[in-house]
């Protein structure tokens, strides 16, 4: 038997490999005789036609589905069923967890949807267990769509791990581009050590989709895994892709003590929660944590309360102060057009941007299985059908063009956000150089100055964008001039 796991995303850029598929592949490889492979089309420079050739010999095709790429996923699934009608097409991922029945009703070429944690459900399907007895799936019996009982989450994450040999040739040159340029000169590796989040932000589905709990690897297993990866792949920097790295203070201290004893020469990045204790941050810094990111979303106490973030502006300022004192490279994540947000609220958010080495500002997007999504459904502003209307595009922005309750037009915000990024590069040129290196950093500052001056003229900015993509931009971007 053959299982092929694919992230059916074919655009030109991805920020990190789809580690979830690699966890599944490892589990199936170690618990069955099934031949398994993981494919990330972008990193392997494969188009849909080339993948369809591989699918002709596949018994099971597993696709991960994100909201922002759902139409690519289902379009590919349809082509795959034509290429290999006998292949069972199984879809999982965050987008389909609460829409499993609708997905099967809309797309006859999808055979099974796995809801939630997929390792054991997928193994049972491959081993031929009757679908009626596989918890955590929604499936089709002739014309009837059947949703089985939920599967209980496994509390012992040591049962799941990732065999990087399945994907390492493809991710060998992967880099975390949001960090200090000097740290980008060593081998990087993305890693996950926990699942879930206990907090209940209204814009996020993680709490609902991961059983309203946080589960993490034991500190002993974490350090054991880091040691193995350092020795095997000569890794110097790890990027933890955990929604919440610190599950408890005691867990964090134990991890730091064991990491110190292991004497690994590494640095690493984690995402923390505002309000993390200074003593914990200090201890993490001592053992190699050099980069921290945290989701702030808004600088307004009123909006923080509205989205049930569970933090305050005072806590935000205090956590930033502690991190800067300890010498962390800081990343902040923000959103605009949050529910009931006014321009005055956003001014308070914008006050925080300059305090970060790198910040990310996104226009708020709607996702299924979130409290705010259910709120909009109750108001009659949308329904589940919105996810199947291709004319709306892949991303559903909470903008006034689509939702009467929003206070922002997307076109206005995009122009404003561009000006904010450009101003940040000009205001903090040395940070841009630290992030990108000398030549590329100078290029970034120079083009920011020109572009900000020409921003009111669309023709001028279009010309500048063309110039950046041409030989001049490539000249400044080339690393050989740095070396």
């Amino acid at each position: 038997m053959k299982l092929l796991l694919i992230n059916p995303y074919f655009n030109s850029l991805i920020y990190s490999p789809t580690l979830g598929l690699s966890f599944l592949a490892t589990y199936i490889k170690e618990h069955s005789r099934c031949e398994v492979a993981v494919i990330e089309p972008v990193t392997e420079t494969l188009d849909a036609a080339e993948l369809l050739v591989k699918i002709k010999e596949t018994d099971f095709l597993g696709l991960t589905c994100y909201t922002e790429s759902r139409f690519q996923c289902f379009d590919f699934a349809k082509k795959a069923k034509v290429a290999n009608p006998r292949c069972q097409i199984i879809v999982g991922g965050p987008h389909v967890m609460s829409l499993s029945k609708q997905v099967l009703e809309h797309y006859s070429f999808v055979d099974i949807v796995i809801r939630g944690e997929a390792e054991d459900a997928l193994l049972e399907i491959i081993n031929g267990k009757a679908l009626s007895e596989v918890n955590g799936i929604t499936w089709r019996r002739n014309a009837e769509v059947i949703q089985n009982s939920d599967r209980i989450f496994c509390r012992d994450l040591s049962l799941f791990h990732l065999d990087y040999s399945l994907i390492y040739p493809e991710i060998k040159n992967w880099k975390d581009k949001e960090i200090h340029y000097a740290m980008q000169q060593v081998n990087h590796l993305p890693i996950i050590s926990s699942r879930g989040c206990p907090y209940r932000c209204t814009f996020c589905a993680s709490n609902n989709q991961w059983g309203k709990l946080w589960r993490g690897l034991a500190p002993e297993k974490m350090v054991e895994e880091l040691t193995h990866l350092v020795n095997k792949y000569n890794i110097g920097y790890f990027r933890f892709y955990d929604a919440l790295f610190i599950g408890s203070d005691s867990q964090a201290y134990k991890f730091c003590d064991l990491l110190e004893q292991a004497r690994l020469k590494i640095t690493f990045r984690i995402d923390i929660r505002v309000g993390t204790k200074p003593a914990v941050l200090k201890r993490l810094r001592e053992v190699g944590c050099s980069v921290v990111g945290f989701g702030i979303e808004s600088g307004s106490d009123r909006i923080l309360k509205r989205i049930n973030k569970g933090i305050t502006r005072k806590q935000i300022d205090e956590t930033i102060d502690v991190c800067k004192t300890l010498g962390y490279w800081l990343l902040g994540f923000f959103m605009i057009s949050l529910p009931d947000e006014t321009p005055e609220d956003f001014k308070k958010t914008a006050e925080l941007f300059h305090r970060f080495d790198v910040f990310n500002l996104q226009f708020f997007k709607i996702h299924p299985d979130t409290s705010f999504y259910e709120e909009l459904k109750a108001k009659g502003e949308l329904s589940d059908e919105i996810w199947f209307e291709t004319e709306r595009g892949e991303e559903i922005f909470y903008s006034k063009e689509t939702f009467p309750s929003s206070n922002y037009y997307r076109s206005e915000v995009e122009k404003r956000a561009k000006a904010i990024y450009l101003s940040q590069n000009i205001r903090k040129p040395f940070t841009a150089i630290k992030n990108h290196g000398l030549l590329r950093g100078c290029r970034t500052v120079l083009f920011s100055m020109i572009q900000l001056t020409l921003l009111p003229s669309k023709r001028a900015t279009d010309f500048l964008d063309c110039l950046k993509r041409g030989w001049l931009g490539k000249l400044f971007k080339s690393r050989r001039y740095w070396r």
Side-chain angles (χ1 to χ4, degrees), residues 104-105 139-146:
L104 291 178
E105 288 165 357
W139 56 292
R140 194 191 316 279
R141 182 164 55 198
N142 299 322
E144 183 184 8
V145 173
I146 302 169

Side-chain angles (χ1 to χ4, degrees), residues 106-176:
H106 280 81
Y107 303 121
S108 60
F109 43 83
V110 176
D111 299 300
I112 303 169
V113 172
I114 297 181
R115 312 185 312 271
E117 210 157 60
E119 281 89 347
D120 285 314
L122 183 58
L123 180 64
E124 290 173 5
I125 293 169
I126 287 172
N127 285 341
K129 189 172 184 177
L131 294 183
S132 60
E133 298 177 10
V134 180
N135 287 338
I137 69 168
T138 305
W139 56 292
R140 194 191 316 279
R141 182 164 55 198
N142 299 322
E144 183 184 8
V145 173
I146 302 169
Q147 182 167 306
N148 292 357
S149 300
D150 292 338
R151 180 175 291 272
I152 297 173
F153 288 98
C154 175
R155 288 186 173 271
D156 183 6
L157 286 193
S158 67
L159 298 176
F160 307 136
H161 72 101
L162 196 161
D163 179 1
Y164 281 88
S165 67
L166 291 166
I167 58 171
Y168 192 71
E170 290 74 33
I171 68 167
K172 182 178 180 180
N173 297 318
W174 176 82
K175 299 289 184 183
D176 181 353

Side-chain angles (χ1 to χ4, degrees), residues 178-279:
E178 294 179 314
I179 64 173
H180 196 300
Y181 184 78
M183 289 189 284
Q184 296 180 25
Q185 309 314 303
V186 299
N187 292 334
H188 288 201
L189 200 66
I191 190 169
I192 294 176
S193 65
S194 67
R195 297 182 183 184
C197 178
Y199 299 100
R200 301 186 179 187
C201 304
T202 61
F203 58 85
C204 180
S206 180
N207 183 268
N208 288 330
Q209 294 181 344
W210 290 101
K212 298 178 172 57
L213 53 88
W214 178 93
R215 297 164 294 150
L217 278 176
E220 293 84 357
K221 293 293 293 184
M222 291 171 64
V223 174
E224 179 185 319
E225 179 70 2
L226 293 175
T227 302
H228 164 71
L229 295 171
V230 168
N231 292 335
K232 185 172 183 178
Y233 299 112
N234 191 30
I235 304 301
Y237 172 87
F238 290 93
R239 160 66 159 110
F240 283 89
Y241 273 95
D242 301 309
L244 184 67
F245 180 79
I246 302 172
S248 69
D249 293 347
S250 60
Q251 174 259 357
Y253 284 128
K254 184 67 177 294
F255 168 74
C256 291
D257 291 343
L258 293 171
L259 186 59
E260 188 173 58
Q261 292 169 22
R263 297 184 179 181
L264 297 180
K265 295 180 179 179
I266 61 170
T267 57
F268 58 97
R269 167 183 170 179
I270 63 173
D271 287 337
I272 64 169
R273 185 169 171 80
V274 165
T276 299
K277 291 180 180 178

Side-chain angles (χ1 to χ4, degrees), residues 337 363 398-410:
S337 192
F363 201 106
Y398 183 57
S399 64
K400 208 166 183 62
E401 289 94 337
T402 307
F403 298 98
S405 56
S406 173
N407 291 323
Y408 292 88
Y409 287 99
R410 187 182 166 206

Side-chain angles (χ1 to χ4, degrees), residues 428-440:
K428 302 180 71 174
F430 291 108
T431 300
I433 291 171
K434 287 180 181 179
N435 187 202
H436 302 295
L438 180 59
L439 263 295
R440 191 181 174 196

